[in-house]
Coordinates of all heavy atoms in Angstrom, one line a residue:
M1 N 120.3 108.3 81.2 CA 119.5 108.5 82.4 C 118.5 109.7 82.2 O 118.8 110.7 81.7 CB 120.4 108.7 83.6 CG 120.7 107.4 84.3 SD 120.9 107.6 86.1 CE 122.5 108.3 86.2
A2 N 117.3 109.5 82.7 CA 116.4 110.5 82.7 C 116.7 111.6 83.7 O 117.5 111.4 84.6 CB 115.0 110.0 83.0
N3 N 116.1 112.7 83.5 CA 116.3 113.8 84.4 C 115.9 113.5 85.8 O 114.7 113.2 86.0 CB 115.6 115.1 83.9 CG 116.5 116.0 83.3 OD1 117.7 115.7 83.1 ND2 116.0 117.2 82.8
E4 N 116.8 113.6 86.7 CA 116.4 113.4 88.1 C 116.0 114.6 88.8 O 116.5 115.7 88.5 CB 117.6 112.7 88.9 CG 117.3 111.4 89.5 CD 118.4 110.9 90.3 OE1 119.5 110.6 89.8 OE2 118.2 110.8 91.5
K5 N 115.1 114.5 89.7 CA 114.7 115.7 90.5 C 115.6 115.9 91.7 O 116.0 114.9 92.3 CB 113.2 115.6 90.9 CG 112.3 115.5 89.8 CD 112.2 117.0 89.1 CE 111.1 116.9 88.0 NZ 111.2 118.1 87.2
Y6 N 115.8 117.1 92.0 CA 116.6 117.4 93.2 C 115.9 118.3 94.1 O 115.1 119.1 93.6 CB 118.1 117.8 92.9 CG 118.8 116.8 92.2 CD1 119.0 116.8 90.8 CD2 119.5 115.9 92.9 CE1 119.8 115.8 90.2 CE2 120.2 114.9 92.3 CZ 120.3 114.8 91.0 OH 121.1 113.9 90.4
Y7 N 116.3 118.3 95.4 CA 115.5 119.1 96.4 C 116.5 119.9 97.2 O 117.6 119.5 97.5 CB 114.7 118.1 97.2 CG 113.7 117.3 96.4 CD1 114.1 116.2 95.8 CD2 112.4 117.9 96.1 CE1 113.2 115.4 95.0 CE2 111.5 117.2 95.3 CZ 111.9 116.0 94.7 OH 111.1 115.3 93.9
C8 N 115.9 121.0 97.7 CA 116.6 122.0 98.6 C 116.9 121.3 99.9 O 115.9 120.8 100.5 CB 115.8 123.2 98.7 SG 116.5 124.5 99.9
P9 N 118.1 121.4 100.5 CA 118.4 120.8 101.8 C 117.7 121.6 102.9 O 117.6 121.1 104.0 CB 119.9 120.8 101.9 CG 120.3 122.0 100.9 CD 119.3 122.0 99.8
D10 N 117.4 122.8 102.6 CA 116.8 123.7 103.7 C 115.3 123.6 103.8 O 114.7 123.4 104.8 CB 117.2 125.1 103.5 CG 118.7 125.3 103.6 OD1 119.3 124.5 104.5 OD2 119.2 126.2 103.0
C11 N 114.6 123.7 102.7 CA 113.1 123.7 102.6 C 112.5 122.5 102.0 O 111.3 122.3 102.0 CB 112.6 125.0 102.0 SG 113.0 125.0 100.3
L12 N 113.3 121.7 101.4 CA 112.9 120.4 100.8 C 112.0 120.6 99.6 O 111.4 119.6 99.1 CB 112.2 119.5 101.8 CG 113.1 119.1 103.1 CD1 112.3 118.2 104.0 CD2 114.3 118.4 102.6
N13 N 112.0 121.7 99.1 CA 111.2 121.9 97.9 C 112.0 121.6 96.6 O 113.3 121.6 96.7 CB 110.7 123.4 97.7 CG 109.5 123.7 98.6 OD1 108.6 122.9 98.6 ND2 109.5 124.8 99.3
E14 N 111.3 121.3 95.5 CA 112.0 121.0 94.3 C 112.9 122.1 93.8 O 112.5 123.2 93.8 CB 110.9 120.6 93.3 CG 111.5 119.6 92.3 CD 110.3 119.1 91.3 OE1 109.4 118.4 91.9 OE2 110.3 119.5 90.2
L15 N 114.0 121.7 93.4 CA 114.9 122.7 92.8 C 114.7 123.0 91.3 O 114.3 122.0 90.6 CB 116.4 122.3 93.0 CG 116.9 122.2 94.4 CD1 118.3 121.7 94.5 CD2 116.8 123.6 95.1
E16 N 114.8 124.1 90.9 CA 114.7 124.4 89.5 C 116.1 124.4 88.8 O 117.0 124.9 89.2 CB 114.1 125.8 89.3 CG 113.8 126.2 87.9 CD 112.8 127.3 87.8 OE1 111.7 127.2 88.4 OE2 113.1 128.3 87.2
E17 N 116.1 123.6 87.7 CA 117.4 123.4 87.0 C 117.5 124.5 86.0 O 116.7 124.7 85.2 CB 117.3 122.0 86.2 CG 118.7 121.7 85.7 CD 118.6 120.3 85.0 OE1 118.0 119.4 85.6 OE2 119.1 120.1 83.9
E18 N 118.6 125.1 86.0 CA 118.9 126.2 85.1 C 120.2 125.9 84.4 O 121.3 125.8 85.0 CB 119.1 127.6 85.9 CG 117.8 128.0 86.6 CD 117.9 129.3 87.2 OE1 118.9 129.9 87.2 OE2 116.9 129.8 87.6
S19 N 120.1 125.8 83.0 CA 121.3 125.5 82.3 C 121.6 126.8 81.4 O 120.7 127.4 80.9 CB 121.0 124.3 81.5 OG 119.9 124.4 80.7
G20 N 122.8 127.0 81.4 CA 123.3 128.2 80.5 C 124.8 128.1 80.4 O 125.5 127.7 81.3
C21 N 125.3 128.5 79.3 CA 126.8 128.6 79.0 C 127.4 127.2 79.3 O 128.5 127.2 79.8 CB 127.4 129.6 79.9 SG 126.7 131.3 79.6
G22 N 126.7 126.1 79.0 CA 127.3 124.8 79.1 C 127.3 124.3 80.6 O 127.8 123.1 80.8
S23 N 126.9 125.0 81.5 CA 126.9 124.5 82.9 C 125.5 124.5 83.4 O 124.6 125.2 83.0 CB 127.8 125.3 83.8 OG 127.2 126.6 84.0
V24 N 125.2 123.6 84.4 CA 123.9 123.5 85.0 C 123.9 123.9 86.4 O 124.8 123.5 87.1 CB 123.3 122.1 84.8 CG1 121.9 122.0 85.5 CG2 123.3 121.6 83.4
S25 N 123.0 124.7 86.9 CA 123.0 125.1 88.3 C 121.5 124.8 88.8 O 120.6 124.7 88.0 CB 123.3 126.6 88.5 OG 122.5 127.3 87.7
Y26 N 121.4 124.7 90.1 CA 120.1 124.4 90.7 C 119.7 125.6 91.6 O 120.5 126.0 92.5 CB 120.2 123.1 91.4 CG 120.4 121.9 90.4 CD1 121.7 121.6 90.1 CD2 119.3 121.3 89.9 CE1 121.9 120.6 89.1 CE2 119.5 120.3 89.0 CZ 120.7 119.9 88.6 OH 120.9 118.9 87.7
F27 N 118.5 126.0 91.4 CA 118.0 127.2 92.2 C 116.8 126.9 92.9 O 115.8 126.2 92.5 CB 117.7 128.3 91.1 CG 117.4 129.6 91.8 CD1 118.4 130.4 92.3 CD2 116.1 130.0 91.9 CE1 118.1 131.6 92.8 CE2 115.8 131.3 92.5 CZ 116.8 132.1 93.0
C28 N 116.7 127.3 94.2 CA 115.5 127.1 95.0 C 114.7 128.4 95.0 O 115.1 129.5 95.3 CB 115.9 126.8 96.5 SG 114.5 126.7 97.5
N29 N 113.5 128.2 94.5 CA 112.6 129.4 94.3 C 112.0 129.8 95.7 O 111.5 130.9 95.8 CB 111.5 129.1 93.4 CG 111.9 129.3 91.9 OD1 112.6 130.2 91.6 ND2 111.5 128.3 91.0
T30 N 112.1 128.9 96.7 CA 111.6 129.3 98.0 C 112.6 130.0 98.8 O 112.3 131.0 99.4 CB 111.2 128.0 98.7 OG1 110.3 127.2 97.9 CG2 110.5 128.3 100.0
C31 N 113.8 129.6 98.7 CA 114.9 130.2 99.5 C 115.6 131.3 98.6 O 116.3 132.1 99.2 CB 116.0 129.2 99.9 SG 115.4 127.9 100.9
K32 N 115.2 131.4 97.4 CA 115.9 132.3 96.5 C 117.3 132.3 96.5 O 118.0 133.3 96.6 CB 115.4 133.8 96.9 CG 113.9 134.0 96.9 CD 113.3 133.9 95.5 CE 111.8 134.1 95.6 NZ 111.2 133.7 94.4
K33 N 117.8 131.1 96.3 CA 119.3 130.9 96.3 C 119.7 129.7 95.5 O 118.9 128.8 95.3 CB 119.9 130.8 97.7 CG 119.5 129.6 98.4 CD 120.1 129.4 99.7 CE 119.8 128.1 100.4 NZ 120.3 127.9 101.8
L34 N 120.9 129.7 95.1 CA 121.5 128.6 94.3 C 121.9 127.5 95.3 O 122.4 127.9 96.4 CB 122.7 129.0 93.5 CG 122.4 129.8 92.2 CD1 123.7 130.3 91.7 CD2 121.8 128.9 91.2
V35 N 121.7 126.3 94.9 CA 122.1 125.2 95.8 C 123.2 124.4 95.1 O 123.0 124.0 93.9 CB 120.9 124.3 96.1 CG1 121.3 123.1 96.9 CG2 119.8 125.1 96.8
S36 N 124.3 124.2 95.7 CA 125.4 123.5 95.1 C 125.0 122.0 95.0 O 124.3 121.5 95.8 CB 126.7 123.7 95.9 OG 126.6 123.0 97.1
R37 N 125.7 121.4 94.0 CA 125.5 119.9 93.8 C 125.7 119.1 95.0 O 125.2 118.0 95.2 CB 126.4 119.5 92.6 CG 125.8 119.9 91.2 CD 126.8 119.6 90.2 NE 126.3 119.9 88.8 CZ 125.7 119.0 88.1 NH1 125.6 117.8 88.5 NH2 125.2 119.3 86.9
S38 N 126.7 119.5 95.8 CA 127.1 118.7 97.0 C 126.1 118.8 98.1 O 126.0 117.9 98.9 CB 128.4 119.1 97.5 OG 128.4 120.5 97.8
K39 N 125.2 119.8 98.0 CA 124.2 120.0 99.1 C 122.8 119.6 98.8 O 122.1 119.3 99.6 CB 124.3 121.5 99.5 CG 125.4 121.8 100.4 CD 125.3 123.3 100.9 CE 126.5 123.6 101.7 NZ 126.6 125.1 102.0
M40 N 122.6 119.6 97.5 CA 121.1 119.3 97.1 C 120.9 117.8 97.3 O 121.7 117.0 97.4 CB 120.9 119.6 95.6 CG 121.8 118.7 94.7 SD 121.6 119.5 93.0 CE 122.4 118.1 92.1
L41 N 119.6 117.6 97.5 CA 119.1 116.2 97.9 C 118.5 115.5 96.7 O 117.7 116.1 96.0 CB 118.1 116.3 99.0 CG 118.6 117.0 100.3 CD1 117.4 117.1 101.3 CD2 119.8 116.3 100.9
S42 N 118.8 114.2 96.6 CA 118.0 113.5 95.6 C 116.7 113.1 96.3 O 116.4 113.3 97.4 CB 118.8 112.1 95.3 OG 118.8 111.2 96.4
K43 N 115.8 112.4 95.4 CA 114.5 112.1 95.9 C 114.6 111.1 97.1 O 113.8 111.3 98.1 CB 113.7 111.4 94.8 CG 112.2 111.5 95.0 CD 111.5 111.1 93.8 CE 110.0 111.3 93.9 NZ 109.2 111.0 92.7
N44 N 115.5 110.2 97.1 CA 115.7 109.3 98.1 C 116.1 109.9 99.4 O 115.6 109.7 100.5 CB 116.7 108.1 97.8 CG 116.0 107.1 96.9 OD1 114.8 107.0 96.9 ND2 116.8 106.3 96.3
E45 N 117.2 110.8 99.3 CA 117.7 111.5 100.4 C 116.6 112.4 101.0 O 116.6 112.6 102.3 CB 118.9 112.3 100.0 CG 120.1 111.5 99.7 CD 121.2 112.3 99.0 OE1 120.9 113.3 98.3 OE2 122.4 111.9 99.2
R46 N 115.8 113.0 100.2 CA 114.8 113.9 100.7 C 113.8 113.1 101.6 O 113.3 113.5 102.7 CB 114.1 114.5 99.6 CG 112.9 115.4 100.0 CD 112.2 115.9 98.7 NE 111.1 116.8 98.9 CZ 109.9 116.4 98.7 NH1 109.5 115.3 98.2 NH2 108.9 117.3 99.0
T47 N 113.4 111.9 101.1 CA 112.4 111.1 101.8 C 113.0 110.6 103.1 O 112.3 110.7 104.2 CB 112.1 109.9 100.9 OG1 111.6 110.3 99.7 CG2 110.9 109.1 101.6
E48 N 114.2 110.2 103.1 CA 114.9 109.7 104.3 C 115.0 110.8 105.4 O 114.7 110.6 106.5 CB 116.3 109.2 104.1 CG 116.3 107.9 103.4 CD 117.6 107.5 102.8 OE1 118.6 108.1 103.2 OE2 117.7 106.5 102.0
G49 N 115.3 112.0 104.9 CA 115.4 113.2 105.8 C 114.1 113.5 106.5 O 114.1 113.8 107.6
K50 N 113.1 113.3 105.8 CA 111.8 113.6 106.3 C 111.4 112.7 107.4 O 110.8 113.0 108.4 CB 110.7 113.6 105.2 CG 110.3 115.0 104.7 CD 109.1 115.0 103.8 CE 108.4 116.2 103.7 NZ 107.2 116.2 102.9
E51 N 111.7 111.4 107.1 CA 111.3 110.3 108.1 C 112.1 110.4 109.4 O 111.7 109.8 110.4 CB 111.5 109.0 107.4 CG 110.3 108.7 106.4 CD 110.6 107.4 105.6 OE1 111.7 106.8 105.8 OE2 109.7 107.1 104.8
K52 N 113.3 111.0 109.3 CA 114.1 111.1 110.5 C 113.5 112.0 111.6 O 113.8 111.9 112.7 CB 115.5 111.6 110.1 CG 116.6 110.7 110.6 CD 117.9 111.3 110.4 CE 118.3 111.5 109.0 NZ 119.7 112.1 108.8
E53 N 112.7 112.9 111.2 CA 112.1 113.9 112.1 C 111.6 113.4 113.4 O 110.9 112.4 113.5 CB 110.9 114.6 111.4 CG 111.2 116.1 111.3 CD 110.0 116.8 110.6 OE1 110.1 116.7 109.3 OE2 109.1 117.3 111.2
Ligands
LIG1 ZN1 115.0 126.0 99.7

């Protein structure tokens, strides 16, 4: 599978993927914090969240 993009649940900006020491983490440059895999949004989830407004 190709690299999927993930988005911050708070600001909906794209998360930066940081890999090191065998593990991957996702960081939001806008919120300046790490986002856990359970909280980050996929592209589809991000779109749906926006339309719910
Ligand atoms: Zn954010």
Side-chain angles (χ1 to χ4, degrees):
M1 265 212 283
N3 258 5
E4 237 185 294
K5 294 290 183 189
Y6 291 102
Y7 300 88
C8 175
D10 293 331
C11 66
L12 299 181
N13 280 315
E14 203 172 294
L15 294 175
E16 187 159 301
E17 190 179 314
E18 298 189 348
S19 50
C21 301
S23 67
V24 180
S25 54
Y26 293 87
F27 187 80
C28 176
N29 277 318
T30 307
C31 302
K32 303 291 184 198
K33 68 176 184 183
L34 284 171
V35 178
S36 68
R37 281 172 178 265
S38 56
K39 281 184 183 168
M40 67 191 190
L41 306 176
S42 70
K43 201 168 188 178
N44 280 343
E45 287 169 331
R46 176 183 183 252
T47 308
E48 282 168 17
K50 260 193 160 180
E51 282 172 357
K52 234 192 291 181
E53 237 176 280

